[in-house]
Amino acid sequence: FPAPRRRCAACVVPNRAMSFWGIALKAGQKQQVEVPEANVLHLSQVCLHEPKSGKTYLQVGVDGTNYTFCCLEKDKIEHQSLDLFFGPKGPTFVNKGSNEVHMSGYFEPVDDDGEDSEEEAGKAGVKASPKAVAAKASPKVETKKASPKVEAKPASPKAEVKKASPKVEPKKESEELEKSEEEAAPAAKKKAALAELAKRKAAEQTSAPTKKAKTEAAPKAAAASPKAATAASPEAGSSKDAEYVQQLVTYLKANGKQKMSDLGTKVKRPPGVPKMRNVLDAHKDKFVVTGDTVDLKK
């Protein structure tokens, strides 16, 4: 419903004031409110009376249709402020819940000729108000428009002095110096880069003979290496391999088929001997490897 027009003090009709209104709506109760003639009902507050568990919905019936406008619940929302206006037809309130609800507000008179009275009061207020007249004819606004300060700004001698100020010239000179320095910087970088390249070339030329000497010495060392290789032949290690193989054979004869991990922990591999997997592969005539198990060949 549309809210009634708010009136200024000059528009209030004598002997007509707002009056309090309130009802106690029990659980499941339905009640119609009679609004006095030339008044509207303003609903401003609803609250639960002795709250109980469960939700309570408040509805209002207007022209045969119910509208839910509020929901109250114990320990959550036990009261609610509203700003609803109802016309002279008179609303019907319905309590949907298990709690008693108290509703309060006031009746407010409405003027049929409120617009005319507002216009007349407005005219009278403008005529009687010296502040409004002074605001319209305020000389301050005119002085702002014709302010001599605004006119003096374009013709200000200070601005002319600033324009012709010789202080700007040092700035230009500094800018030119910065530009010349920026232009000279790449040339200096180029010179430094060229000098660095010359140093690298000289270093490469000096290091070239040493590299050639190393490459020539490499084949000689390779030619002399077979003798050393023969000196370090695996004869010393073959005895350890044979001993390790014999230990594996002895353990498997005594304990039968073994997992490779268990066999590795029981029979320690001597240092310098290849891994057990490689040893077993090299002696397939003695060992049979099936997956992760090892047994003697029969």
Side-chain angles (χ1 to χ4, degrees):
F1 296 92
R5 185 186 296 275
R6 297 295 184 183
R7 299 180 297 280
C8 59
C11 303
V12 178
V13 180
N15 300 325
R16 297 180 68 182
M18 293 182 291
S19 58
F20 175 80
W21 167 87
I23 59 170
L25 204 61
K26 295 183 179 180
Q29 185 179 357
K30 179 179 181 180
Q31 183 172 341
Q32 184 176 8
V33 178
E34 295 182 0
V35 180
E37 187 177 356
N39 280 262
V40 293
L41 172 62
H42 178 261
L43 179 59
S44 56
Q45 188 73 236
V46 294
C47 68
L48 296 176
H49 178 65
E50 297 180 355
K52 301 176 183 178
S53 60
K55 294 183 179 181
T56 300
Y57 296 91
L58 293 177
Q59 297 180 344
V60 59
V62 180
D63 295 333
T65 304
N66 288 341
Y67 302 95
T68 301
F69 63 90
C70 186
C71 177
L72 303 176
E73 188 175 0
K74 181 182 179 182
D75 297 331
K76 291 185 177 180
I77 304 176
E78 297 185 356
H79 63 88
Q80 184 67 49
S81 298
L82 302 172
D83 190 19
L84 300 176
F85 291 86
F86 300 95
K89 291 184 179 180
T92 300
F93 294 107
V94 183
N95 183 352
K96 294 284 187 179
S98 59
N99 287 283
E100 181 178 338
V101 179
H102 288 190
M103 309 171 66
S104 60
Y106 55 86
F107 292 114
E108 184 176 357
V110 178
D111 296 333
D112 295 334
D113 57 345
E115 294 181 359
D116 297 336
S117 60
E118 286 181 9
E119 290 177 1
E120 292 174 1
K123 291 178 182 179
V126 172
K127 290 179 181 178
S129 174
K131 292 182 179 180
V133 175
K136 286 184 179 179
S138 176
K140 293 181 180 180
V141 179
E142 293 177 0
T143 55
K144 286 182 180 179
K145 290 181 179 178
S147 176
K149 292 182 180 179
V150 179
E151 294 176 358
K153 281 183 180 178
S156 175
K158 293 182 180 179
E160 294 177 0
V161 173
K162 286 181 180 178
K163 288 181 181 178
S165 176
K167 292 181 180 180
V168 182
E169 293 179 0
K171 290 184 180 179
K172 291 182 178 179
E173 291 178 359
S174 62
E175 290 177 357
E176 291 177 358
L177 288 172
E178 289 177 358
K179 287 181 180 179
S180 62
E181 289 176 357
E182 291 175 357
E183 292 175 357
K189 289 181 180 178
K190 287 181 181 179
K191 289 181 180 180
L194 291 172
E196 185 67 22
L197 287 172
K199 288 181 181 179
R200 288 181 181 178
K201 287 181 179 180
E204 289 175 358
Q205 290 176 358
T206 53
S207 61
T210 57
K211 287 183 180 179
K212 288 181 180 179
K214 288 181 180 179
T215 53
E216 291 175 357
K220 294 179 180 179
S225 60
K227 294 181 180 179
T230 54
S233 60
E235 292 179 357
S238 59
S239 60
K240 292 183 179 180
D241 293 352
E243 184 180 352
Y244 182 53
V245 171
Q246 186 60 38
Q247 290 177 1
L248 292 173
V249 171
T250 304
Y251 186 83
L252 290 173
K253 282 182 180 180
N255 299 280
K257 186 188 296 185
Q258 296 289 319
K259 287 185 178 181
M260 197 172 294
S261 57
D262 295 339
L263 185 60
T265 56
K266 298 296 184 180
V267 181
K268 299 297 182 181
R269 179 168 56 89
V273 176
K275 292 183 179 180
M276 184 173 64
R277 170 72 72 174
N278 298 333
V279 173
L280 296 174
D281 291 340
H283 296 81
K284 291 183 179 180
D285 58 329
K286 297 181 180 180
F287 303 101
V288 177
V289 179
T290 306
D292 193 31
T293 60
V294 183
D295 197 0
L296 289 174
K297 191 171 183 179
K298 296 178 180 179

PDB file of all heavy atoms in Angstrom, residues 235-249:
ATOM      1  N   GLU A 235      93.209 -60.694 -13.211  1.00  0.00           N
ATOM      2  CA  GLU A 235      93.617 -61.947 -12.579  1.00  0.00           C
ATOM      3  C   GLU A 235      93.472 -61.865 -11.067  1.00  0.00           C
ATOM      4  O   GLU A 235      93.126 -62.830 -10.408  1.00  0.00           O
ATOM      5  CB  GLU A 235      95.067 -62.257 -12.955  1.00  0.00           C
ATOM      6  CG  GLU A 235      95.247 -62.592 -14.433  1.00  0.00           C
ATOM      7  CD  GLU A 235      96.698 -62.864 -14.770  1.00  0.00           C
ATOM      8  OE1 GLU A 235      97.516 -62.722 -13.828  1.00  0.00           O
ATOM      9  OE2 GLU A 235      96.984 -63.197 -15.917  1.00  0.00           O
ATOM     10  N   ALA A 236      93.755 -60.616 -10.551  1.00  0.00           N
ATOM     11  CA  ALA A 236      93.650 -60.477  -9.091  1.00  0.00           C
ATOM     12  C   ALA A 236      92.212 -60.627  -8.650  1.00  0.00           C
ATOM     13  O   ALA A 236      91.931 -61.145  -7.570  1.00  0.00           O
ATOM     14  CB  ALA A 236      94.212 -59.125  -8.664  1.00  0.00           C
ATOM     15  N   GLY A 237      91.279 -60.138  -9.498  1.00  0.00           N
ATOM     16  CA  GLY A 237      89.870 -60.216  -9.104  1.00  0.00           C
ATOM     17  C   GLY A 237      89.252 -61.561  -9.416  1.00  0.00           C
ATOM     18  O   GLY A 237      88.220 -61.924  -8.849  1.00  0.00           O
ATOM     19  N   SER A 238      89.839 -62.341 -10.321  1.00  0.00           N
ATOM     20  CA  SER A 238      89.223 -63.616 -10.696  1.00  0.00           C
ATOM     21  C   SER A 238      89.230 -64.591  -9.530  1.00  0.00           C
ATOM     22  O   SER A 238      88.311 -65.398  -9.366  1.00  0.00           O
ATOM     23  CB  SER A 238      89.967 -64.218 -11.892  1.00  0.00           C
ATOM     24  OG  SER A 238      91.344 -64.430 -11.557  1.00  0.00           O
ATOM     25  N   SER A 239      90.236 -64.513  -8.710  1.00  0.00           N
ATOM     26  CA  SER A 239      90.288 -65.420  -7.555  1.00  0.00           C
ATOM     27  C   SER A 239      89.176 -65.093  -6.573  1.00  0.00           C
ATOM     28  O   SER A 239      88.553 -65.997  -6.004  1.00  0.00           O
ATOM     29  CB  SER A 239      91.653 -65.313  -6.877  1.00  0.00           C
ATOM     30  OG  SER A 239      91.877 -63.980  -6.432  1.00  0.00           O
ATOM     31  N   LYS A 240      88.871 -63.788  -6.418  1.00  0.00           N
ATOM     32  CA  LYS A 240      87.775 -63.395  -5.524  1.00  0.00           C
ATOM     33  C   LYS A 240      86.438 -63.837  -6.103  1.00  0.00           C
ATOM     34  O   LYS A 240      85.543 -64.288  -5.373  1.00  0.00           O
ATOM     35  CB  LYS A 240      87.783 -61.887  -5.320  1.00  0.00           C
ATOM     36  CG  LYS A 240      88.976 -61.387  -4.523  1.00  0.00           C
ATOM     37  CD  LYS A 240      88.870 -59.886  -4.295  1.00  0.00           C
ATOM     38  CE  LYS A 240      90.048 -59.370  -3.473  1.00  0.00           C
ATOM     39  NZ  LYS A 240      89.976 -57.915  -3.243  1.00  0.00           N
ATOM     40  N   ASP A 241      86.291 -63.729  -7.422  1.00  0.00           N
ATOM     41  CA  ASP A 241      85.039 -64.166  -8.054  1.00  0.00           C
ATOM     42  C   ASP A 241      84.821 -65.659  -7.839  1.00  0.00           C
ATOM     43  O   ASP A 241      83.707 -66.100  -7.493  1.00  0.00           O
ATOM     44  CB  ASP A 241      85.073 -63.866  -9.553  1.00  0.00           C
ATOM     45  CG  ASP A 241      85.080 -62.366  -9.826  1.00  0.00           C
ATOM     46  OD1 ASP A 241      84.904 -61.594  -8.855  1.00  0.00           O
ATOM     47  OD2 ASP A 241      85.240 -61.961 -10.999  1.00  0.00           O
ATOM     48  N   ALA A 242      85.918 -66.425  -8.056  1.00  0.00           N
ATOM     49  CA  ALA A 242      85.804 -67.878  -7.899  1.00  0.00           C
ATOM     50  C   ALA A 242      85.458 -68.239  -6.462  1.00  0.00           C
ATOM     51  O   ALA A 242      84.643 -69.137  -6.191  1.00  0.00           O
ATOM     52  CB  ALA A 242      87.108 -68.557  -8.329  1.00  0.00           C
ATOM     53  N   GLU A 243      86.084 -67.516  -5.528  1.00  0.00           N
ATOM     54  CA  GLU A 243      85.792 -67.784  -4.112  1.00  0.00           C
ATOM     55  C   GLU A 243      84.336 -67.458  -3.789  1.00  0.00           C
ATOM     56  O   GLU A 243      83.660 -68.204  -3.076  1.00  0.00           O
ATOM     57  CB  GLU A 243      86.741 -66.944  -3.257  1.00  0.00           C
ATOM     58  CG  GLU A 243      86.603 -67.211  -1.767  1.00  0.00           C
ATOM     59  CD  GLU A 243      87.560 -66.350  -0.955  1.00  0.00           C
ATOM     60  OE1 GLU A 243      88.426 -65.660  -1.552  1.00  0.00           O
ATOM     61  OE2 GLU A 243      87.441 -66.355   0.291  1.00  0.00           O
ATOM     62  N   TYR A 244      83.825 -66.352  -4.336  1.00  0.00           N
ATOM     63  CA  TYR A 244      82.422 -65.944  -4.093  1.00  0.00           C
ATOM     64  C   TYR A 244      81.456 -66.957  -4.696  1.00  0.00           C
ATOM     65  O   TYR A 244      80.454 -67.337  -4.080  1.00  0.00           O
ATOM     66  CB  TYR A 244      82.200 -64.561  -4.687  1.00  0.00           C
ATOM     67  CG  TYR A 244      80.815 -64.001  -4.471  1.00  0.00           C
ATOM     68  CD1 TYR A 244      80.254 -63.931  -3.189  1.00  0.00           C
ATOM     69  CD2 TYR A 244      80.056 -63.555  -5.544  1.00  0.00           C
ATOM     70  CE1 TYR A 244      78.991 -63.424  -3.001  1.00  0.00           C
ATOM     71  CE2 TYR A 244      78.790 -63.035  -5.366  1.00  0.00           C
ATOM     72  CZ  TYR A 244      78.246 -62.968  -4.092  1.00  0.00           C
ATOM     73  OH  TYR A 244      76.991 -62.454  -3.903  1.00  0.00           O
ATOM     74  N   VAL A 245      81.790 -67.452  -5.909  1.00  0.00           N
ATOM     75  CA  VAL A 245      80.933 -68.448  -6.549  1.00  0.00           C
ATOM     76  C   VAL A 245      80.894 -69.726  -5.724  1.00  0.00           C
ATOM     77  O   VAL A 245      79.840 -70.344  -5.525  1.00  0.00           O
ATOM     78  CB  VAL A 245      81.429 -68.729  -7.987  1.00  0.00           C
ATOM     79  CG1 VAL A 245      80.691 -69.925  -8.584  1.00  0.00           C
ATOM     80  CG2 VAL A 245      81.246 -67.505  -8.862  1.00  0.00           C
ATOM     81  N   GLN A 246      82.052 -70.120  -5.195  1.00  0.00           N
ATOM     82  CA  GLN A 246      82.107 -71.337  -4.393  1.00  0.00           C
ATOM     83  C   GLN A 246      81.274 -71.190  -3.116  1.00  0.00           C
ATOM     84  O   GLN A 246      80.595 -72.135  -2.687  1.00  0.00           O
ATOM     85  CB  GLN A 246      83.576 -71.665  -4.047  1.00  0.00           C
ATOM     86  CG  GLN A 246      83.752 -73.001  -3.338  1.00  0.00           C
ATOM     87  CD  GLN A 246      83.257 -74.169  -4.168  1.00  0.00           C
ATOM     88  OE1 GLN A 246      83.434 -74.195  -5.388  1.00  0.00           O
ATOM     89  NE2 GLN A 246      82.636 -75.150  -3.526  1.00  0.00           N
ATOM     90  N   GLN A 247      81.304 -69.989  -2.504  1.00  0.00           N
ATOM     91  CA  GLN A 247      80.501 -69.752  -1.295  1.00  0.00           C
ATOM     92  C   GLN A 247      79.006 -69.871  -1.610  1.00  0.00           C
ATOM     93  O   GLN A 247      78.236 -70.433  -0.833  1.00  0.00           O
ATOM     94  CB  GLN A 247      80.819 -68.367  -0.725  1.00  0.00           C
ATOM     95  CG  GLN A 247      82.203 -68.257  -0.116  1.00  0.00           C
ATOM     96  CD  GLN A 247      82.493 -66.841   0.379  1.00  0.00           C
ATOM     97  OE1 GLN A 247      81.658 -65.965   0.289  1.00  0.00           O
ATOM     98  NE2 GLN A 247      83.714 -66.654   0.891  1.00  0.00           N
ATOM     99  N   LEU A 248      78.593 -69.327  -2.770  1.00  0.00           N
ATOM    100  CA  LEU A 248      77.188 -69.418  -3.154  1.00  0.00           C
ATOM    101  C   LEU A 248      76.769 -70.866  -3.377  1.00  0.00           C
ATOM    102  O   LEU A 248      75.682 -71.298  -2.959  1.00  0.00           O
ATOM    103  CB  LEU A 248      76.948 -68.606  -4.430  1.00  0.00           C
ATOM    104  CG  LEU A 248      77.083 -67.083  -4.303  1.00  0.00           C
ATOM    105  CD1 LEU A 248      76.988 -66.425  -5.672  1.00  0.00           C
ATOM    106  CD2 LEU A 248      76.011 -66.507  -3.381  1.00  0.00           C
ATOM    107  N   VAL A 249      77.650 -71.648  -4.044  1.00  0.00           N
ATOM    108  CA  VAL A 249      77.339 -73.057  -4.295  1.00  0.00           C
ATOM    109  C   VAL A 249      77.206 -73.817  -2.995  1.00  0.00           C
ATOM    110  O   VAL A 249      76.279 -74.615  -2.795  1.00  0.00           O
ATOM    111  CB  VAL A 249      78.430 -73.683  -5.204  1.00  0.00           C
ATOM    112  CG1 VAL A 249      78.247 -75.201  -5.292  1.00  0.00           C
ATOM    113  CG2 VAL A 249      78.386 -73.061  -6.590  1.00  0.00           C
TER     114      VAL A 249
END
